Amino acid sequence: MADNAVQTESMKLRSEIMLALKDYIHRVHLSQSQAAKAFGVTQPRISDFTSGKVDEFGLDALVNMAGKAGLRVELHILEVAR
């Protein structure tokens, strides 16, 4: 798989987790400081997060944040035709 396609897949996965976390924040009515405490990060990180700065977050950090929010992340791997 070309580097660009790999980067696109990573961005897609990170975006999906970020959307789920944003939904969680809104659903349980958390402020940025409350979300930071719940996710184990700083408030400026939540600010970056809510601003949609996907490039600022690694996949592992987002999975950890989701876990702390009580969300389970599942991964399905499919083989792509070459």
Side-chain angles (χ1 to χ4, degrees), residues 2-63:
D3 284 346
N4 197 27
V6 171
Q7 289 175 342
T8 299
E9 284 298 313
S10 176
M11 180 76 71
K12 180 179 143 189
L13 292 171
R14 288 182 286 148
S15 295
E16 286 184 38
I17 297 171
M18 286 180 81
L19 287 173
L21 288 168
K22 284 182 185 181
D23 179 62
Y24 174 82
I25 290 169
H26 292 300
R27 201 167 15 91
V28 299
H29 308 289
L30 296 177
S31 67
Q32 285 191 0
S33 61
Q34 290 169 323
K37 187 174 180 180
F39 298 164
V41 297
T42 64
Q43 187 277 325
R45 290 291 283 161
I46 296 297
S47 181
D48 286 343
F49 176 82
T50 56
S51 298
K53 297 180 180 178
V54 179
D55 289 337
E56 298 291 321
F57 294 89
L59 193 53
D60 57 335
L62 292 168
V63 169

Side-chain angles (χ1 to χ4, degrees), residues 9 12-13 72-79:
E9 284 298 313
K12 180 179 143 189
L13 292 171
R72 185 176 77 207
V73 177
E74 293 183 358
L75 175 67
H76 300 276
I77 300 174
L78 305 171
E79 189 169 348

